Structures are given as C-alpha cells and as structure tokens.
Amino acid sequence: MYIDESHNYTSSTSKKFRLDDLRSILDILPESKSFTMLTGTHLYNFHPTFEQLPIIEVKAIKQKANHYFVDSVDTHKATAQLVVNSIENGRFPIVLMNNKKFDGKLGDIKSLIDREDFEYFNSDNKNSTDLAEIIQKGKIPDRLKGFCTTTVLKEGNNINNKFDFDFII
C-alpha cells in the first residue's frame, strides 16, 4: 500500500479535523503486506505507527532561484514587458493574478499581451482544453509560450515540461 501526502494522517489545522478517520487507516496498515508513506512535509508523530517506521530522507538539489523586484508606476505595462522579455529570452512566463475579471486587471493585461501563444486561465474558462492538459496530464501544451492564471491553477499541479520558468506576481 502506498500512501501519498501521509503528513495528513498525523496533523492538520486541528486535531479534530478528520483525524479519527485518517488514523483508522493507520490502524490497519500493519495488516498489509507492506506499506510506504510519502510526504514532503515534516511529520508530527501523534500516532504510534509512525514511531516504528524508519525515515528515509531524500534531499533534492535545489536550483538557485533569482528574485527581482520591479518598481513601476504602471504595473500592467511592466507585467506585459516582463512577459515579452521572458519569452524572448527562451523562458516560460507564468503571471499569477488574484483578479479574474476580463473587464478589470486581467483584461488590461490581456490587451497588452496580445499573442495567440499566451493563454489566460480563470474560473470562467476552467474547462478549456489547454487547462485540462496542464491539470490532468501535467503538460503545458506545445502551442503555449506562457500564460496568466488566477487561483484556478495553483497548488498541487505537476508540470512535466522542461522549461525555465519566470513567475510574475
């Protein structure tokens, strides 16, 4: 048995949050032939099953990340310019927005980045084939050179493309 995100079985926002249900699974683990628990989050040992397990820690080599702060009077124009620069430098820009309205900030950005190979994802178009390919297959469609997204595409998505990304927030 493989249990991914196994930290959910030890702690959550509070001890009452589904903890009894989750722990019932841990109680039957010793009955299985073997089990492997996977997590990238530190485990708090609130359950006796965890006290008996060996912990194998795998440390991935982290790439150096560069962070830049752009001070601009017109943030929409600055965002558009950063997208163009990123694409021209062979990188893949992802713009993160909190506003989903095309008659607001997102629309302003869209009017400044008028490209067929740059997509916009929000909850209104969450059924698009491009977004489905990213979420379901972990692959950014080949036609895209970048995209702008709201929280419709956020955490827990694997991207298997070998791109150098620029995140513009």
Side-chain angles (χ1 to χ4, degrees):
M1 180 182 304
Y2 285 88
I3 299 179
D4 195 10
E5 303 292 343
S6 59
H7 58 273
N8 288 317
Y9 292 85
T10 62
S11 65
S12 191
T13 54
S14 73
K15 284 189 173 187
K16 294 180 181 177
F17 176 75
R18 295 179 42 207
L19 208 51
D20 290 338
D21 294 336
L22 294 171
R23 284 185 176 176
S24 67
I25 294 170
L26 296 180
D27 291 335
I28 64 167
L29 278 180
E31 297 172 18
S32 63
K33 185 174 180 181
S34 71
F35 61 91
T36 302
M37 304 181 86
L38 307 167
T39 184
T41 304
H42 179 71
L43 292 174
Y44 300 96
N45 293 317
F46 295 143
H47 193 279
T49 300
F50 287 98
E51 294 172 6
Q52 304 165 23
L53 298 176
I55 295 175
I56 301 169
E57 189 172 338
V58 178
K59 292 194 175 192
I61 298 171
K62 291 187 176 185
Q63 292 182 346
K64 183 183 176 215
N66 296 312
H67 303 91
Y68 302 99
F69 176 77
V70 177
D71 190 11
S72 173
V73 174
D74 188 334
T75 58
H76 300 163
K77 283 184 182 175
T79 299
Q81 188 59 55
L82 288 169
V83 165
V84 170
N85 292 351
S86 178
I87 293 170
E88 287 177 354
N89 288 318
R91 299 180 62 81
F92 194 97
I94 297 177
V95 179
L96 304 174
M97 296 281 294
N98 281 332
N99 186 304
K100 74 168 198 150
K101 297 179 182 175
F102 283 112
D103 61 350
K105 294 177 187 177
L106 190 59
D108 289 346
I109 301 253
K110 188 173 183 180
S111 69
L112 294 167
I113 307 170
D114 187 24
R115 301 177 59 113
E116 291 291 321
D117 58 2
F118 193 86
E119 192 56 74
Y120 300 84
F121 302 124
N122 66 18
S123 60
D124 294 335
N125 66 356
K126 63 185 172 191
N127 295 322
S128 77
T129 54
D130 288 333
L131 186 59
E133 188 167 350
I134 295 169
I135 292 171
Q136 295 170 10
K137 297 179 182 175
K139 183 178 183 313
I140 296 172
D142 293 334
R143 73 171 199 84
L144 293 182
K145 300 294 182 213
F147 62 78
C148 178
T149 185
T150 61
T151 56
V152 71
L153 179 66
K154 191 179 174 189
E155 299 169 356
N157 292 287
N158 294 323
I159 303 293
N160 299 315
N161 302 71
K162 301 293 182 200
F163 292 142
D164 289 322
F165 292 98
D166 286 326
F167 291 94
I168 303 164
I169 302 172

